[in-house]
Amino acid sequence: AIVTLPEDLEEGRAILLLEDLTEFTRADRLAAWVDAARAIAHDIKNPLTPIRLAAERLGRLEERPGPPPPGAFAEISTNILRQVAILTERIGRLGRFGDPASLDRRSLDAWAVRALLEEVAGDFRAHEHMTVTVDVPAGLRPLAADRLLLRDALTNFLVNATEALAERGGAVVLSASNAALSGGAAGVRFACVDDGPGATGDAVERLFEPAFSTKARGSGMGLAAVRRTAERHGGEVFAEARTGGGLVIGFTLPALSSPT
């Protein structure tokens, strides 16, 4: 910084101020790496919840008298292998960490959206005291989205719902429906509704803020990642307390067109 001294002095003079910003730059880089590490840790942690639920279900089947229900072991092993595949994909994604702007957009119709929601819901149906149902109308508008990022976002909702309902149990509805974006454009609304303890008004407004969490051991990374996913698709997020208890949370993405 160069500061010129007042002109009333006999000779024109200036002050040159030099400041070494090396430590500040190093601290910024360290903070960026810490944020990246937290995001990676959260992405890797999410598939562990369905794997834990599957292992707990195996334990319950072992304790029950008589043979297990037909197809139970095949369903559990399929869920575990699917989560392993997700972990493998995420580890591979680290190699593309420097190109976060790339989206693998694919057209998704009502059938594809239902299949995606059923897949995500199936990962959590091993929960002993929680039911997960899916609701997708046949006339759902098509949309273009990165399926993996969409799956991650929906998984974040169900992980949070699982933790909220851990003690009392309850019901969760994962849905997709036709809706409108705030500007009036046609969209597709993805929502997760639970009948858990919910959240206070101030907390609901801050749910998507980075590093904010209503859980004592929460990182605040999951819903912030959901917001980034929605915004990268040109969409928007929402959250509101549910009448009678619980939470309604989700996002709306632009639709390709109105249903015929």
Side-chain angles (χ1 to χ4, degrees), residues 155-257:
T155 298
N156 272 308
F157 292 151
L158 282 184
V159 167
N160 288 346
T162 300
E163 295 173 351
L165 299 171
E167 297 182 1
R168 52 179 285 182
V172 179
V173 178
L174 200 59
S175 67
S177 59
N178 294 326
L181 294 164
S182 58
V188 176
R189 182 181 189 265
F190 293 86
C192 179
V193 181
D194 69 68
D195 57 0
T200 62
D202 292 341
V204 170
E205 295 178 358
R206 301 185 58 194
L207 284 176
F208 292 100
E209 291 182 9
F212 175 80
S213 177
T214 59
K215 297 172 290 187
R217 302 176 64 180
S219 65
M221 301 298 295
L223 295 184
V226 171
R227 184 172 194 164
R228 286 195 300 273
T229 293
E231 292 177 346
R232 288 173 63 189
H233 284 83
E236 53 202 24
V237 296
F238 61 86
E240 59 189 44
R242 182 172 175 263
T243 303
L247 187 68
V248 180
I249 191 167
F251 50 89
T252 305
L253 302 185
L256 287 178
S257 62

Side-chain angles (χ1 to χ4, degrees), residues 125-179:
R125 285 185 173 136
H127 195 291
E128 187 177 10
H129 303 297
M130 184 179 79
T131 62
V132 185
T133 57
V134 169
D135 182 17
V136 180
L140 188 74
R141 299 181 182 116
L143 72 153
D146 187 313
R147 191 181 189 278
L148 291 177
L149 291 181
L150 204 58
R151 191 189 197 286
D152 286 349
L154 297 170
T155 298
N156 272 308
F157 292 151
L158 282 184
V159 167
N160 288 346
T162 300
E163 295 173 351
L165 299 171
E167 297 182 1
R168 52 179 285 182
V172 179
V173 178
L174 200 59
S175 67
S177 59
N178 294 326

Side-chain angles (χ1 to χ4, degrees), residues 11 84 223:
E11 300 179 5
V84 171
L223 295 184

Side-chain angles (χ1 to χ4, degrees), residues 106-129:
R106 304 288 179 90
S107 178
L108 301 174
D109 58 12
W111 182 89
V113 171
R114 172 174 285 278
L116 173 61
L117 267 60
E118 287 286 358
E119 179 182 312
V120 175
D123 295 337
F124 293 83
R125 285 185 173 136
H127 195 291
E128 187 177 10
H129 303 297

